[in-house]
Amino acid sequence: MNAHYQALPDKVKKLLRPEADGSGLSLHTKKGVMIKLGGAFLLFLCVQSLVLSVVLEGHEGAFYGVLTLISAFTGFYLFGQSHRLVFDRMTNRVFLQRSAWWRAEQMIDAHHAETVEILLTRGESNQRLQVSLLNQLYVFDQPSDAHALMDYLQQQFRVVALEQISDWPNKHPWRAEGAAPHAIKPVPEKTSAKVEPPLYKSSLVVPIWSRGALLKLALPIPVFSVLAALIESGVLL
């Protein structure tokens, strides 16, 4: 299994997480990603609130101090949650697995691998291919990555591999030997004149030298930058 796994494209290897004992592998779920993102955002918000609670004084400082505690507790709670789609080789089953910091792993909605359908279709933009299974959707920019995932799951777990590309919307069996990348015709983008929104005057003027105002505007920038880097590197997946 390790040799087959190492031969996969980097995008697919990042998506699949092999079990340490070699008993199977798991993939992230949409719910799991959203929970991790929410937890990571709150933890970064905690750092931002902590800085503001130190810099600001009076009621504002106390407000951000309370916000620090709430965001820290909620962020750790969410970041400790785990929702994965597991392919288990020992039982030949596919199931959703949920766990938390203090809670043992729970198996939800189990299926025999031979009955699980994985479907290859075009993306909404018609520029990408996507693989769906058990209400989870994985989108690929490169057709070869989508084919590699289909081929790997079919060989390792004998899942039912189907495709909807050659004869939409009908489903047909997908075969690895016929998995040459499909030609995807570019879809012309509609051009439209850019309309600038009107400017509105406001009676509220914030001095540009206000230390608190500058911190509130500047701190969210590294927060979202770090979140984007974590997603790209696969840490949150």
Side-chain angles (χ1 to χ4, degrees):
M1 180 176 177
N2 290 332
H4 292 288
Y5 175 80
Q6 293 300 330
L8 292 172
D10 291 338
K11 172 84 174 181
V12 181
K13 285 194 292 186
K14 186 185 298 185
L15 176 64
L16 301 175
R17 178 189 296 174
E19 298 295 332
D21 57 0
S23 61
L25 53 87
S26 64
L27 301 85
H28 68 263
T29 63
K30 181 179 179 180
K31 182 176 181 180
V33 171
M34 296 303 295
I35 291 177
K36 290 288 187 182
L37 284 176
F41 175 78
L42 287 175
L43 290 178
F44 284 115
L45 179 63
C46 170
V47 176
Q48 176 182 347
S49 301
L50 179 62
V51 174
L52 290 174
S53 67
V54 174
V55 173
L56 301 177
E57 298 178 353
H59 295 295
E60 282 192 337
F63 169 78
Y64 283 106
V66 174
L67 185 60
T68 299
L69 296 177
I70 295 176
S71 58
F73 175 80
T74 309
F76 275 111
Y77 171 78
L78 292 178
F79 205 73
Q81 303 287 318
S82 176
H83 293 255
R84 306 284 298 180
L85 181 61
V86 178
F87 284 77
D88 186 71
R89 300 176 65 88
M90 305 299 294
T91 62
N92 198 32
R93 290 189 175 185
V94 184
F95 55 88
L96 294 173
Q97 187 179 77
R98 182 175 61 189
S99 62
W101 292 112
W102 63 94
R103 188 172 54 196
E105 296 176 346
Q106 296 179 335
M107 183 175 65
I108 305 172
D109 195 21
H111 303 266
H112 287 286
E114 294 89 347
T115 64
V116 174
E117 292 186 357
I118 57 173
L119 180 63
L120 180 69
T121 60
R122 293 185 185 273
E124 293 181 357
S125 65
N126 207 35
Q127 304 295 324
R128 302 175 177 178
L129 294 184
Q130 57 190 23
V131 177
S132 60
L133 67 152
L134 296 181
N135 298 321
Q136 304 298 324
L137 189 64
Y138 305 95
V139 182
F140 299 89
D141 294 323
Q142 299 297 327
S144 58
D145 292 341
H147 291 303
L149 177 62
M150 296 280 291
D151 185 33
Y152 185 78
L153 294 179
Q154 186 184 50
Q155 288 188 12
Q156 297 293 323
F157 301 98
R158 306 301 183 207
V159 295
V160 181
L162 304 172
E163 58 90 8
Q164 269 184 324
I165 296 179
S166 61
D167 184 26
W168 173 267
N170 301 312
K171 298 180 182 179
H172 296 281
W174 179 88
R175 291 291 181 266
E177 58 269 19
H182 293 264
I184 301 178
K185 297 179 180 179
V187 178
E189 297 182 357
K190 296 181 179 180
T191 57
S192 57
K194 184 177 180 182
V195 180
E196 295 292 339
L199 298 177
Y200 296 95
K201 295 182 179 180
S202 173
S203 59
L204 178 62
V205 179
V206 179
I208 61 174
W209 56 83
S210 172
R211 182 174 55 181
L214 289 176
L215 283 172
K216 292 176 184 178
L217 291 174
L219 283 176
I221 298 176
V223 170
F224 289 106
S225 299
V226 174
L227 278 176
L230 290 175
I231 296 174
E232 180 65 23
S233 62
V235 174
L236 294 180
L237 301 183

